[in-house]
Amino acid sequence: MLRNAETILAIIRKRGQYGLPVQDAYRLLYQRDLYLRAYGKLYRNNGAMTKGATPETVDGMSLEKIDMIINLLRNEQYRWTPVRRAYIPKKNAKLRPLGLPVWSDKLLQEVIRSILEAYYEPQFSDKSHGFRPERGCHTALREVVKKGRGSKWFIEGDLSACFDKIDHTVLINILQEKIHDNRFIRLLSGLLKAGYLEDWKFNNTFSGVPQGGVVSPILSNIVLDRLDKYVEQQLIPANTKGSQRKTNPPYVRLTMQATEARRKNDWERVHRLMQKAQTMPSRDPNDPNFRRLWYVRYADDFLLGFIGPKNEAVEIKQQIADFLCKDLKLELNAEKTLITHTRDQKAKFLGYEIHVLHEDSKHDHRGQRCINGSIGLRIPKNVIREKCTKYMRHGKSQSLPQRTIDGAYSIVSQYQAEYRGIVQYYRMAYNLHMLSTIKHIMEESLVKTLAHKYRTTCSKIYKRYGKKIETDEGERKVLLVKVERPAPKKPLITYFGGISLKWNKWVGINDNHTKPIWSQRSEVVQRLLAQECELCGACDKIEVHHIRKLADLKQQGRTTVRSEWQKRMSARQRKTLIICQKCHNNIHYGKYDGKKLSA
């Protein structure tokens, strides 16, 4: 009897919570519902239409394809296809290798990933934030702000080519500790050794997980969880000492003298003594009996904060390097693994600059210094420069001619989405106002792009689209586009600007911790299970026709008369169409006759 995907994963998750081993994991791969769930999650991705080593993509997905994969697995005949290797540029001008699997491998990897995530997620450390549900960059940064108060040294950690250098033996041994199923382990081992094609030449993979593979992030987290547990269970207890710092004798001496002067009503001396006391710490910063260490990791980047002398911070860094080398066969990147002083220097983590704030003149309502020791998050200057570069040429803002093929609504929406994404990511930075530079450059570029499209001047664009809107921060000037639609539909409205750059460290960023609901089937899966062609009504050999984007249909409709299948996809605003194999072939070969669904 086939079980619901959520029921299966709930059972696995329960075993993970209790730390019980998993047996017969391979048999779970026979459940069709897990593949339908995986398909419902993957088909939206742009990469689903990207070819791997073979022409196979998500286009043509069917229940028969799922059954074929399951039958191959039952007979232990499934073979992983080598990934097609491509390269994407990194910020340091180097190239990052990216593996592009075929669609069947992606689908099976997603099923395996869901099983591994359900089992291992309850066991992962709270110090890890990368590639995990309900966690991300902002939760990691919140942890830094919460734990980092009073830190004296930052240890910035970065693993050298982590995805490429994960040792297969280490990974398999870790998996075998909890997954007692040799067939499942063999399947994963085959994935790791499937190899890759570069310029159509086959290459073996002797280490690492395929970067770009669906299952790669969870596999890397399973290995790096050993690092999390080592720091959490050994380094942090060994470097935690004392309940609080002892008082600073010079500070105590000055406050006692001020108290004595207050008894004598010598207020001038009281003021002078307290001013002097406010220039020194109230607690001994070099207390040998007080130590603290905290740790946060996101993927292969991690950050430690230490209260203590530098020589001990250097020793902690070396202990981590030794553990990685000896136990996990990994190494630290010497260029990026640094020890920085929290007040004099700034650590770099997840695109932010992090340092400890110090300002004796800032007081709270009780007259006490309120900023000293707090963690400050800053937007680096080079981020402002890099973000502006896309919209500039020769030091000035420029139009983007490649966007003029779209309408004004789409152009403004795209600029606003890009600007909002930057602001939302750096919302936690106290110098958030620095993004006004990006806003100014992007607005000029947007106006020039619209002026180029309509063959007019920038001043006329401001007159046509310049409006004022009400926001939570008051009235704001924006560039607004309104597209009227036939009744009863409301007009489409979009605008550029109107986003507050006022910093609020308590602002919530995706604070909705509601778990995603996967119990209900996605719309495309429900239509696929209906097993009926949405064009001719046939009920045999049903497949799913996919396109990359709906804009392609609109472009085709401007030059030629659109077919019935194009009209149906446009009307539904869906990139999928459930059709029979015959209609699908006719569409691909340009022979579709345009007949409507029969009465």
Side-chain angles (χ1 to χ4, degrees):
M1 177 178 154
L2 295 177
R3 290 179 290 179
N4 178 275
E6 291 307 314
T7 304
I8 298 169
L9 296 180
I11 295 171
I12 298 296
R13 194 174 296 112
K14 204 71 174 177
R15 296 192 70 84
Q17 289 173 351
Y18 290 108
L20 301 174
V22 174
Q23 298 174 342
D24 292 333
Y26 192 82
R27 292 179 63 85
L28 298 177
L29 302 178
Y30 304 162
Q31 303 292 329
R32 178 195 274 186
D33 207 60
L34 286 173
Y35 293 86
L36 291 172
R37 180 181 184 272
Y39 171 56
K41 187 172 182 181
L42 291 179
Y43 84 96
R44 301 179 180 88
N45 300 342
N46 292 332
M49 289 292 290
T50 302
K51 297 177 182 178
T54 70
E56 182 194 15
T57 66
V58 67
D59 186 43
M61 180 61 187
S62 63
L63 295 180
E64 287 74 15
K65 185 170 288 189
I66 293 176
D67 294 337
M68 181 193 68
I69 294 173
I70 292 174
N71 287 332
L72 289 173
L73 288 168
R74 284 183 187 276
N75 298 317
E76 297 188 47
Q77 293 177 345
Y78 191 89
R79 297 295 178 264
W80 300 98
T81 304
V83 299
R84 178 170 66 88
R85 173 161 287 190
Y87 291 90
I88 55 176
K90 298 170 67 175
K91 289 184 177 179
N92 57 4
K94 295 182 180 179
L95 295 175
R96 185 193 302 277
L98 185 68
L100 303 173
V102 298
W103 168 249
S104 294
D105 286 0
K106 285 182 184 178
L107 192 66
L108 180 54
Q109 282 189 46
E110 174 58 26
V111 174
I112 294 173
R113 188 206 63 79
S114 62
I115 294 172
L116 293 176
E117 182 182 88
Y119 181 71
Y120 281 102
E121 180 62 29
Q123 304 176 52
F124 282 155
S125 168
D126 289 338
K127 314 297 182 186
S128 166
H129 295 263
F131 309 122
R132 296 183 60 187
E134 301 179 47
R135 290 169 178 261
C137 296
H138 291 127
T139 59
L141 291 165
R142 280 200 192 98
E143 189 79 7
V144 171
V145 173
K146 180 181 176 182
K147 299 287 187 181
R149 187 176 181 86
S151 299
K152 189 173 182 181
W153 301 99
F154 286 136
I155 305 172
E156 305 171 55
D158 182 85
L159 299 178
S160 180
C162 174
F163 277 82
D164 299 330
K165 293 185 178 179
I166 286 180
D167 188 270
H168 291 172
T169 304
V170 171
L171 174 56
I172 294 299
N173 288 340
I174 293 174
L175 290 169
Q176 285 178 325
E177 290 178 9
K178 296 293 183 70
I179 299 178
H180 299 170
D181 188 333
N182 288 335
R183 291 194 298 171
F184 191 83
I185 297 297
R186 277 201 305 273
L187 184 66
L188 280 174
S189 181
L191 170 63
L192 297 174
K193 298 175 181 177
Y196 63 93
L197 294 178
E198 186 172 359
D199 295 330
W200 301 109
K201 181 180 178 181
F202 176 77
N203 297 271
N204 287 302
T205 48
F206 300 104
S207 65
V209 292
Q211 209 164 92
V214 179
V215 78
S216 299
I218 186 70
L219 292 179
S220 64
N221 266 342
I222 289 171
V223 172
L224 293 178
D225 184 62
R226 293 302 174 97
L227 172 63
D228 301 337
K229 298 292 173 55
Y230 170 71
V231 175
E232 200 172 19
Q233 298 173 5
Q234 296 190 41
L235 288 185
I236 291 180
N239 291 278
T240 300
K241 189 192 306 183
S243 57
Q244 64 177 10
R245 288 187 178 98
K246 66 180 181 181
T247 55
N248 190 16
Y251 178 85
V252 173
R253 188 160 49 249
L254 287 172
T255 54
M256 291 178 65
Q257 290 174 2
T259 302
E260 186 177 346
R262 195 176 286 110
R263 291 198 194 102
K264 298 178 181 178
N265 292 326
D266 189 353
W267 299 107
E268 183 180 346
R269 187 163 185 263
V270 170
H271 181 69
R272 188 170 62 253
L273 289 170
M274 291 307 297
Q275 273 192 326
K276 188 175 181 180
Q278 291 284 302
T279 63
M280 59 181 64
S282 60
R283 299 279 174 176
D284 185 3
N286 299 314
D287 185 355
N289 297 315
F290 184 84
R291 296 287 183 271
R292 288 292 185 273
L293 179 69
W294 55 264
Y295 164 82
V296 173
R297 180 178 67 84
Y298 184 93
D300 59 347
D301 294 332
F302 59 86
L303 184 69
L304 295 100
F306 179 61
I307 298 176
K310 184 176 182 179
N311 64 306
E312 293 183 17
V314 173
E315 185 179 342
I316 291 170
K317 173 186 168 182
Q318 188 59 46
Q319 288 174 332
I320 292 174
D322 293 342
F323 172 81
L324 288 169
C325 181
K326 181 180 177 182
D327 290 57
L328 302 182
K329 305 293 192 297
L330 296 171
E331 61 179 345
L332 291 175
N333 188 326
E335 295 180 3
K336 296 182 180 179
T337 304
L338 308 172
I339 297 178
T340 57
H341 192 274
T342 58
R343 277 180 57 184
D344 300 336
Q345 300 168 293
K346 296 178 179 64
K348 292 180 175 60
F349 186 60
L350 299 180
Y352 279 77
E353 287 182 342
I354 304 175
H355 66 126
V356 169
L357 302 173
H358 186 88
E359 182 53 64
D360 291 325
S361 62
K362 296 288 185 179
H363 298 84
D364 59 15
H365 65 281
R366 298 171 296 177
Q368 297 181 350
R369 289 170 287 181
C370 57
I371 286 184
N372 290 0
S374 299
I375 291 291
L377 303 179
R378 286 179 53 86
I379 305 173
K381 291 181 179 179
N382 66 302
V383 167
I384 307 291
R385 186 168 56 251
E386 289 173 4
K387 298 295 183 184
C388 289
T389 301
K390 180 180 178 180
Y391 310 95
M392 297 179 69
R393 184 172 56 194
H394 304 310
K396 294 183 179 180
S397 59
Q398 66 163 344
S399 66
L400 301 182
Q402 66 272 22
R403 298 190 181 183
T404 56
I405 61 173
D406 295 324
Y409 181 88
S410 297
I411 295 173
V412 174
S413 296
Q414 187 173 356
Y415 271 87
Q416 178 73 345
E418 292 169 358
Y419 176 57
R420 184 189 294 113
I422 297 170
V423 175
Q424 284 299 102
Y425 186 77
Y426 288 103
R427 178 66 70 180
M428 301 179 73
Y430 65 78
N431 63 338
L432 184 66
H433 62 278
M434 295 287 289
L435 295 183
S436 60
T437 303
I438 297 178
K439 194 254 184 184
H440 176 70
I441 295 297
M442 290 184 70
E443 182 176 313
E444 285 189 346
S445 174
L446 169 58
V447 171
K448 289 180 179 179
T449 301
L450 292 173
H452 183 218
K453 176 178 177 63
Y454 295 112
R455 300 292 191 272
T456 185
T457 62
C458 292
S459 59
K460 289 182 179 179
I461 292 296
Y462 274 113
K463 288 180 181 179
R464 185 189 302 183
Y465 297 113
K467 297 287 187 297
K468 291 183 179 180
I469 63 170
E470 285 294 331
T471 68
D472 295 338
E473 301 293 329
E475 195 174 64
R476 291 286 185 271
K477 291 182 178 180
V478 298
L479 292 169
L480 185 143
V481 176
K482 185 176 182 180
V483 180
E484 297 291 346
R485 297 194 294 175
K489 293 183 178 179
K490 295 181 180 180
L492 296 174
I493 298 176
T494 188
Y495 57 85
F496 178 82
I499 300 176
S500 173
L501 296 181
K502 183 179 179 181
W503 175 62
N504 179 3
K505 68 177 179 180
W506 305 116
V507 72
I509 302 176
N510 297 329
D511 276 335
N512 182 13
H513 294 299
T514 305
K515 292 185 178 180
I517 298 174
W518 293 102
S519 57
Q520 296 182 349
R521 298 186 191 276
S522 65
E523 181 254 1
V524 70
V525 171
Q526 291 178 0
R527 289 160 54 207
L528 176 60
L529 288 172
Q531 289 290 284
E532 182 179 354
C533 178
E534 295 173 346
L535 290 176
C536 69
C539 298
D540 187 37
K541 296 183 179 180
I542 302 301
E543 301 178 344
V544 187
H545 176 57
H546 286 260
I547 60 173
R548 283 190 179 274
K549 51 186 179 179
L550 288 170
D552 294 340
L553 298 179
K554 296 178 181 178
Q555 289 297 116
Q556 293 172 9
R558 292 176 185 174
T559 56
T560 60
V561 178
R562 289 193 295 179
S563 301
E564 180 65 23
W565 70 271
Q566 294 171 324
K567 292 178 182 178
R568 284 181 176 270
M569 295 185 83
S570 296
R572 289 180 172 180
Q573 291 294 295
R574 293 289 185 270
K575 296 189 292 184
T576 57
L577 191 65
I578 310 300
I579 50 179
C580 64
Q581 193 176 81
K582 180 180 178 181
C583 290
H584 200 190
N585 289 336
N586 287 337
I587 287 173
H588 276 293
Y589 295 132
K591 297 179 180 179
Y592 181 71
D593 56 14
K595 291 181 180 179
K596 295 184 179 180
L597 182 66
S598 60

